[in-house]
Amino acid sequence: MSKLPNVTTSIFSVMSQLANEHGAINLSQGFPNFPVDERLLQISERLIRENIHQYTPMAGLPSLMEKIALLTEKNYQRKVNIGTEILITAGATQGVFTAINTFVNAGDEVLILDPSYDSYEPSVLAAGGKPVRVSLNHDYSPNFNTIEDEITSKTKMIVINNPHNPTGRIWTENEIETLETILEKHPTILVLSDEVYEYISFTHPHISFNTRVKLINRTIVASSFGKSLHVTGWKVGYLIAPEKLMQEMKKVHQFLVFSVNSFSQHAIAEYLDVVDFSEIAKMYKAKRDLFRNLIKDSRFELMPCDGTYFQVVNYNQISTANDVDFARELITKHGVASIPISVFYNDATDRHMLRFCFAKTDETLIAAAEKLSQI
């Protein structure tokens, strides 16, 4: 009997395969198509011949954990104990799965805000929990009335994704304070804050849950070097949490992956000495602005993009087709691949929105925009 009977081939694989079949420009999957930093390549070339290819300690490479602690203190003024509050994971997705499967038991409820990243619900189901999907408002802001209404005595956790995939929205200070007010009434609910795009913000600063004193003792923050450093294939992420939560997650992590790729950890640890995350944000902002400027006179309506490397558009002026069918048509007739937003909803809410990934070379974005502007 399947634990995940409704899980099929992901929409990302479907759209990428269709793009390949039709020779379309692929702005669907969320990964960069440009080279990594030459400095990281040079570090990697040197390290590959060093004696670093055996297991690291289960929780992570100590030098990398020290750099994470420094990064967290610099950006969020939070002092983290590397021995008890950090866990290096095989990408943030494994971190999210570990966190959920550590604390969610049969019958427990987990609030997930839709549209939501596709790994959250299966992680809850694999743990025997019940995903409770709560739709965001039309502008993708949190609907706190609905969130509060859905909290029950069985609610174990709420999953926050900020900056938000797929919409590119970033929570405001007032929104986070409102959530804090709600959760003060429910002191046993854990917060899982997926912040993999934390260093890619544009219109206003990302507010990390690392900074929230009222919630810090029951919050797990998931981060991703794959996203932040555009090395998605390296699959290196990390969790930060208070010791009482982390010691339990380490038990699950130990028997899920034990330890994470040693070479990648060593390379990233060195690279953190030279990389400037603010420059990465500037690079992505330039790509966002380029793509938006190129299609601003098209028939696609641009939605706000506060952060991440995703741009959502509305196509009401072009077609009345549902978003999945229109996304397929966009590939087969116009040569550009996207992701329909309805797939991120439990109830397939369709507002005629598509997500484009602008983590691509300028040449790719220009070519795609030319096609989109002709529709």
Side-chain angles (χ1 to χ4, degrees), residues 10-57:
S10 77
I11 189 67
F12 308 103
S13 297
V14 170
M15 290 301 170
S16 286
Q17 181 178 341
L18 196 61
N20 290 335
E21 290 173 359
H22 291 269
I25 299 170
N26 192 352
L27 302 188
S28 62
Q29 280 192 284
F31 61 83
N33 73 336
F34 47 83
V36 301
D37 189 339
E38 180 63 28
R39 295 171 297 178
L40 181 56
L41 293 178
Q42 291 174 359
I43 291 170
S44 301
E45 288 170 355
R46 175 172 49 78
L47 286 177
I48 196 70
R49 295 191 177 277
E50 296 188 11
N51 184 26
I52 59 167
H53 300 288
Q54 308 311 321
Y55 297 124
T56 62

Side-chain angles (χ1 to χ4, degrees), residues 285-295 362 365-366:
K285 182 178 185 300
K287 290 187 177 295
R288 180 202 68 164
D289 292 348
L290 172 66
F291 187 60
R292 286 176 66 92
N293 286 333
L294 288 170
I295 66 170
D362 290 357
L365 296 175
I366 291 168

Side-chain angles (χ1 to χ4, degrees), residues 27 138-140 166-169 202-203 285 287-306 309-318 338 341 351-358 365 368-369 372-373:
L27 302 188
H138 282 208
D139 64 354
Y140 302 125
T167 69
R169 196 182 183 283
F202 313 126
T203 56
K285 182 178 185 300
K287 290 187 177 295
R288 180 202 68 164
D289 292 348
L290 172 66
F291 187 60
R292 286 176 66 92
N293 286 333
L294 288 170
I295 66 170
K296 71 180 190 308
D297 294 326
S298 73
R299 292 199 290 164
F300 290 98
E301 180 187 357
L302 292 160
M303 299 295 106
C305 176
D306 302 330
Y309 44 56
F310 301 115
Q311 175 63 58
V312 174
V313 302
N314 180 281
Y315 62 85
N316 272 333
Q317 297 181 44
I318 301 172
S338 63
I341 297 296
R351 299 197 182 104
H352 290 181
M353 302 284 194
L354 302 177
R355 188 198 78 177
F356 292 110
C357 174
F358 55 80
L365 296 175
L372 295 173
S373 296

Side-chain angles (χ1 to χ4, degrees), residues 88-101:
I88 309 297
T89 60
T93 301
Q94 184 248 310
V96 166
F97 184 91
T98 297
I100 290 172
N101 279 266

Side-chain angles (χ1 to χ4, degrees), residues 228-247:
S228 296
L229 304 178
H230 40 273
V231 285
T232 59
W234 285 24
K235 296 296 291 180
V236 179
Y238 57 96
L239 298 177
I240 294 178
E243 181 177 2
K244 66 179 181 178
L245 301 180
M246 184 58 75
Q247 65 185 4

Side-chain angles (χ1 to χ4, degrees), residues 131-265:
V132 178
R133 308 283 287 270
V134 181
S135 291
L136 298 169
N137 292 318
H138 282 208
D139 64 354
Y140 302 125
S141 62
N143 186 325
F144 291 110
N145 290 330
T146 308
I147 290 171
E148 192 158 22
D149 287 345
E150 291 292 350
I151 293 176
T152 72
S153 60
K154 295 181 179 180
T155 305
K156 176 61 71 72
M157 178 183 288
I158 180 170
V159 182
I160 308 296
N161 180 203
N162 181 45
H164 187 249
N165 175 19
T167 69
R169 196 182 183 283
I170 293 178
W171 281 42
T172 65
E173 176 77 21
N174 286 340
E175 289 166 347
I176 294 178
E177 288 178 350
T178 302
L179 180 66
E180 288 173 335
T181 299
I182 292 172
L183 293 182
E184 280 179 337
K185 306 171 191 174
H186 306 278
T188 62
I189 296 177
L190 299 176
V191 177
L192 175 55
S193 183
D194 179 351
E195 302 186 17
V196 299
Y197 298 99
E198 61 193 308
Y199 295 112
I200 309 176
S201 61
F202 313 126
T203 56
H204 56 273
H206 161 66
I207 302 171
S208 175
F209 276 74
N210 278 303
T211 67
R212 311 313 295 186
V213 176
K214 291 181 179 179
L215 296 175
I216 204 74
N217 288 329
R218 48 171 159 152
T219 295
I220 304 153
V221 178
S223 296
S224 168
F225 286 122
K227 295 296 193 299
S228 296
L229 304 178
H230 40 273
V231 285
T232 59
W234 285 24
K235 296 296 291 180
V236 179
Y238 57 96
L239 298 177
I240 294 178
E243 181 177 2
K244 66 179 181 178
L245 301 180
M246 184 58 75
Q247 65 185 4
E248 295 302 315
M249 291 190 290
K250 285 179 177 178
K251 296 175 184 178
V252 174
H253 175 85
Q254 178 172 345
F255 296 103
L256 185 59
V257 296
F258 182 71
S259 63
V260 175
N261 183 289
S262 61
F263 171 78
S264 298
Q265 291 191 68

